[in-house]
Structure formats: C-alpha cells, structure tokens
Amino acid sequence: PRGERVPVPPLSQLRDFLLVYNRMTELCFRHCVSNLNYRLLTGREETCLDSCAGKLVRANHRLMSAYMALMPAIMQRRASDYEASAAQASQHSAQAGSAAPTA
C-alpha cells in the first residue's frame, strides 16, 4: 500500500546475507559454468545453477532451523555462566574487602 515503509534490516544482517549470497554464487558458478566463450549460459549450465543454488538454500534453511532450535538453550547457558561468574567476582570482592587491614 501507498505510504507504508518497508522495514530495513540492520547493516550487519545485510552484510551477512550478501556474504552468503556471494559465496553461494561463486561456488555454483565454479561448479556449473565450464565455458566462458559464450555470452549466454547453456541450458545445461542454467539447470546446474538452479539445482546448485536450490541445494545451498535448502541446506542454509536446515542449518538456520537447527540453530534457532538450539538458540534458547545456548542463551540460557550463557546467562547462567554470566551469573555464576558475577557471583564469583562479587564473592572475591567481599573476601578482599574483609581481608584488608584496618587502621
């Protein structure tokens, strides 16, 4: 609709997307295009590129799904580790403060 703004992803997400896209393009091009003497791709090269890109996109989706499923557990473990290290640092501070000589 008119007047609505499309949300723009953060630059880091755009950069990551472009890195993946460029890597995929390079891999599929090297795998599928064998003759640079012609301006257009052959039918065989086009089919190969479609198949290659599709395979990489499906693999990326599977990896992202697995990552998203594991992410809550990873974040919980990080939070627990952070809390434990903060408690340990606080305990060391308290011990150092009580061991300081008083005048």
Side-chain angles (χ1 to χ4, degrees):
R2 282 193 135 178
E4 288 186 28
R5 299 191 83 177
V6 176
V8 177
L11 287 178
S12 62
Q13 287 181 359
L14 180 60
R15 183 182 62 85
D16 292 344
F17 167 78
L18 291 174
L19 287 171
V20 169
Y21 177 81
N22 287 339
R23 184 69 178 140
M24 179 183 74
T25 302
E26 181 182 336
L27 286 170
C28 291
F29 184 85
R30 286 185 180 188
H31 177 71
C32 297
V33 179
S34 57
N35 189 346
L36 298 176
N37 293 329
Y38 303 103
R39 181 177 177 168
L40 300 175
L41 295 171
T42 65
R44 186 178 202 169
E45 289 170 332
E46 282 189 41
T47 301
C48 179
L49 288 168
D50 285 343
S51 175
C52 179
K55 185 183 290 186
L56 290 175
V57 167
R58 285 188 300 277
N60 187 44
H61 282 263
R62 289 181 68 190
L63 287 171
M64 289 307 294
S65 295
Y67 175 76
M68 295 304 287
L70 291 173
M71 195 60 188
I74 292 169
M75 294 304 291
Q76 180 62 41
R77 187 173 69 225
R78 284 185 184 169
S80 297
D81 291 348
Y82 176 76
E83 290 171 1
S85 65
Q88 189 176 22
S90 176
Q91 186 179 20
H92 285 299
S93 302
Q95 288 174 354
S98 65
T102 55

